């Protein structure tokens, strides 16, 4: 499997990509998602961003944002860490 795949209405993201970006062990990603300790947001690009997708993953104190193309290739990756402090509400907003 590629790191990110689009299958119909579903998006499959390799847990290693999420774990690396959020600074955690890959084996804990699925459990933390089920527990609601990792949440996510998906946005599809429009106008000049047509063909791009923004995938954002949140934990208590980190945010991972991936910009990917239609093939699932990562174009841009950014991580914000708040060093043990809770992630501010503003970091969970689009943009």
């Amino acid at each position: 499997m590629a790191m990110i795949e689009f299958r119909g209405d579903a998006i499959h993201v390799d847990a290693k990509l999420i774990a690396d970006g959020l600074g955690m062990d890959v084996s804990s990603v699925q459990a933390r998602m089920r527990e609601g300790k990792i949440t996510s947001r998906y946005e599809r690009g429009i106008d000049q961003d047509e063909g791009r997708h923004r995938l954002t993953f949140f934990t208590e104190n980190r945010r991972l944002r991936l910009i990917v193309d239609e093939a699932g290739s990562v174009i841009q990756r950014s991580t914000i860490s708040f060093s043990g402090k809770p992630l501010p509400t503003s970091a969970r907003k689009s943009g």
Side-chain angles (χ1 to χ4, degrees):
M1 177 177 108
M3 296 298 270
I4 300 172
E5 291 184 347
F6 296 95
R7 298 182 194 164
D9 291 337
I11 303 169
H12 295 263
V13 181
D14 190 306
K16 181 169 178 19
L17 185 61
I18 298 169
D20 289 348
L22 295 177
M24 64 180 58
D25 185 58
V26 70
S27 64
S28 66
V29 171
Q30 283 188 341
R32 293 189 71 182
M33 288 184 115
R34 279 192 289 273
E35 295 166 357
K37 293 181 179 175
I38 297 175
T39 57
S40 62
R41 171 179 291 139
Y42 165 73
E43 300 164 276
R44 180 184 301 262
I46 58 171
D47 298 330
Q48 71 269 17
D49 292 317
E50 186 74 34
R52 293 184 180 192
H53 307 268
R54 182 164 52 199
L55 309 170
T56 310
F57 299 89
F58 305 94
T59 63
E60 299 86 3
N61 58 5
R62 291 180 76 96
R63 180 185 78 189
L64 167 65
R65 178 167 285 161
L66 303 169
I67 308 295
V68 301
D69 64 16
E70 290 288 333
S73 299
V74 176
I75 299 168
Q76 183 180 354
R77 172 187 157 151
S78 64
T79 302
I80 297 174
S81 174
F82 289 90
S83 302
K85 297 178 184 174
L87 194 67
T89 303
S90 62
R92 292 184 178 268
K93 294 183 179 177
S94 301

